[in-house]
Amino acid sequence: MGIFLFISFLFADLITCGACKMAIRQIFIYQNGILMGVHITKEQTEHPRVKALCEKSRRYWNIYQNSNLAAGSLVCLLAFFSMEWMTLVWIVWFLLYLAGMQVLMVLPLRRMYRLKEEQGWIHEKTRRTVYIDTELSAQAGRLAPKAHWHLPLLALELGAAAVLYVHGAAQSGWPGERAEWLALGSAAMGVTVLTWVMHLYLAEKRNVVYSQSSQVNIAVNRLVKRAWATAFLGADCWNCAAWLYLVLRRDQAGGLGQGDWFVYVALQLAAAVAALLPWGNLIRKKRELLTADEQPVEVDDDVYWKNGWYENPGDPHLLVPNRLCDTNYTFNMARPAARWINLGVTLVLVGSLGWAAWMMIERL
């Protein structure tokens, strides 16, 4: 059991820390007129205080990610001595890691915005400028694979659940297993439904204007939407495979062994990797396109991001592209629904980890 937990948590830590380091480090690279989440000109990037702030923030970010990757890996070693203590220490480390990461993302943006105010670099005239690209809108439905490819996977998962119920109901031990299998099946189908809905919204519906050139906007949006679609479909396929494997193994062997759970976790880790792989290529190609663009949009909306998150009462959108990670989306915190959703997600996360910690404490 120790080696199983060690490998599972170690892979989770490597994927989490690696993805966060790769995704957020792009804020320290000047592209599309933005550096560390703030609009400035190319000439202003050479200002001594800007260069010093950028270098210092980037150094702290790399140190933080590397040290936490090492710390998370060391915590996993506790699995060979005590599953309970490993889980407790890991939960504490993970919560501290998330909190520290938020601080290291928000503080540089706030400091850069204060520097921009002090230097008088704010452009009031372009604050409320809105760019609309009609050619991009006309291409919206043809920029990414369709979301309906998730439906055959959902049908497979439902079919496997039906087979499991029919065969399990005829066995004497089924009543005691029903709750566990219901939770596993619900989780598998919940992931499929969630990725399907997100695919519909992010990969098919949402367009972002990056440039005054329609060709640049179409190229970048095609890259982003295909990355989202590939990530969603890849993760969904591996998630479906994990559920089908459990059902088939139970049907063949009449139960599940430790090796089966190891395969299940490995397949779920493959789903996480499949969701992350498209972003490396996307970040590189997107940077190349936007760096070469000679007609960037001139919108100085930094006042809505000055606290480290987006808060614009005049914007009706609930989700907007994340200034700190432009391959991701964030909430418009001026919308009441965004505040409630964030509160709910926070309570679920902290509550779930707290419940797991309490279960481990009771077993000590």
Side-chain angles (χ1 to χ4, degrees):
M1 190 63 177
I3 185 65
F4 174 75
L5 285 174
F6 171 75
I7 294 175
S8 300
F9 277 83
L10 180 62
F11 268 93
D13 293 349
L14 291 173
I15 291 172
T16 301
C17 294
C20 290
K21 181 179 180 179
M22 180 184 69
I24 306 300
R25 69 182 179 184
Q26 62 185 312
I27 69 172
F28 306 113
I29 301 172
Y30 183 71
Q31 60 179 349
N32 204 33
I34 299 176
L35 180 66
M36 290 197 293
V38 176
H39 283 92
I40 57 176
T41 65
K42 192 170 184 61
E43 293 75 21
Q44 290 161 357
T45 61
E46 298 300 320
H47 191 282
R49 291 181 63 186
V50 172
K51 294 175 70 174
L53 177 58
C54 184
E55 182 58 34
K56 181 179 179 181
S57 300
R58 177 165 41 200
R59 184 171 64 253
Y60 284 171
W61 178 258
N62 288 331
I63 291 173
Y64 183 78
Q65 293 296 341
N66 292 336
S67 59
N68 271 279
L69 182 58
S73 301
L74 290 174
V75 168
C76 295
L77 291 174
L78 292 174
F80 293 108
F81 304 98
S82 170
M83 180 187 74
E84 292 80 7
W85 278 110
M86 190 278 294
T87 305
L88 286 172
V89 175
W90 186 89
I91 288 173
V92 173
W93 165 79
F94 186 65
L95 289 174
L96 291 174
Y97 172 69
L98 293 180
M101 192 165 59
Q102 291 299 314
V103 171
L104 288 179
M105 287 192 298
V106 168
L107 285 185
L109 188 151
R110 292 185 177 183
R111 289 168 179 164
M112 180 63 81
Y113 186 78
R114 285 200 301 269
L115 176 58
K116 181 176 178 176
E117 285 184 311
E118 293 171 6
Q119 298 296 321
W121 295 340
I122 295 177
H123 302 287
E124 294 289 344
K125 292 182 180 180
T126 61
R127 178 175 295 181
R128 299 184 182 276
T129 302
V130 177
Y131 283 88
I132 299 174
D133 190 333
T134 55
E135 187 175 346
L136 172 65
S137 299
Q139 296 282 338
R142 298 190 291 272
L143 296 179
K146 296 296 182 181
H148 61 238
W149 291 109
H150 293 272
L151 298 180
L153 297 174
L154 182 60
L156 280 174
E157 292 164 355
L158 286 169
V163 170
L164 175 67
Y165 180 80
V166 170
H167 288 192
Q171 298 175 357
S172 58
W174 174 248
E177 301 177 24
R178 183 163 31 193
E180 180 182 3
W181 283 101
L182 176 62
L184 289 168
S186 298
M189 287 178 272
V191 168
T192 300
V193 171
L194 178 63
T195 53
W196 176 38
V197 172
M198 296 297 286
H199 189 152
L200 281 170
Y201 181 77
L202 296 177
E204 291 195 8
K205 302 299 181 184
R206 188 81 167 135
N207 288 311
V208 179
V209 177
Y210 298 92
S211 169
Q212 298 178 53
S213 168
S214 295
Q215 288 69 32
V216 172
N217 287 327
I218 291 172
V220 176
N221 276 275
R222 181 183 290 114
L223 277 173
V224 173
K225 290 190 172 190
R226 286 183 177 178
W228 277 112
T230 303
F232 287 141
L233 287 170
D236 207 358
C237 287
W238 285 106
N239 170 68
C240 179
W243 167 242
L244 293 179
Y245 174 81
L246 289 185
V247 173
L248 290 173
R249 283 295 299 159
R250 190 196 182 282
D251 188 56
Q252 292 174 354
L256 298 176
Q258 184 172 326
D260 295 318
W261 288 112
F262 184 86
V263 173
Y264 174 76
V265 171
L267 291 172
Q268 291 292 0
L269 288 173
V273 172
L276 294 173
L277 279 179
W279 301 112
N281 185 52
L282 166 66
I283 291 171
R284 179 179 58 81
K285 289 189 174 181
K286 184 177 180 182
R287 184 184 303 139
E288 291 175 356
L289 285 170
L290 294 179
T291 301
D293 179 31
E294 298 180 353
Q295 304 178 68
V297 295
E298 297 178 356
V299 177
D300 188 352
D301 59 348
D302 297 339
V303 66
Y304 304 122
W305 292 91
K306 65 180 182 180
N307 293 318
W309 55 82
Y310 185 67
E311 191 168 358
N312 182 2
D315 188 347
H317 292 106
L318 179 64
L319 284 172
V320 297
N322 194 335
R323 177 70 61 83
L324 300 177
C325 180
D326 60 4
T327 56
N328 200 357
Y329 282 77
T330 189
F331 287 100
N332 178 6
M333 297 306 293
R335 305 261 72 83
R339 294 193 290 269
W340 283 108
I341 292 172
N342 275 274
L343 177 62
V345 170
T346 301
L347 290 176
V348 169
L349 174 64
V350 176
S352 299
L353 292 175
W355 175 77
W358 177 251
M359 294 291 291
M360 293 300 104
I361 290 173
E362 285 191 325
R363 295 180 58 174
L364 288 174

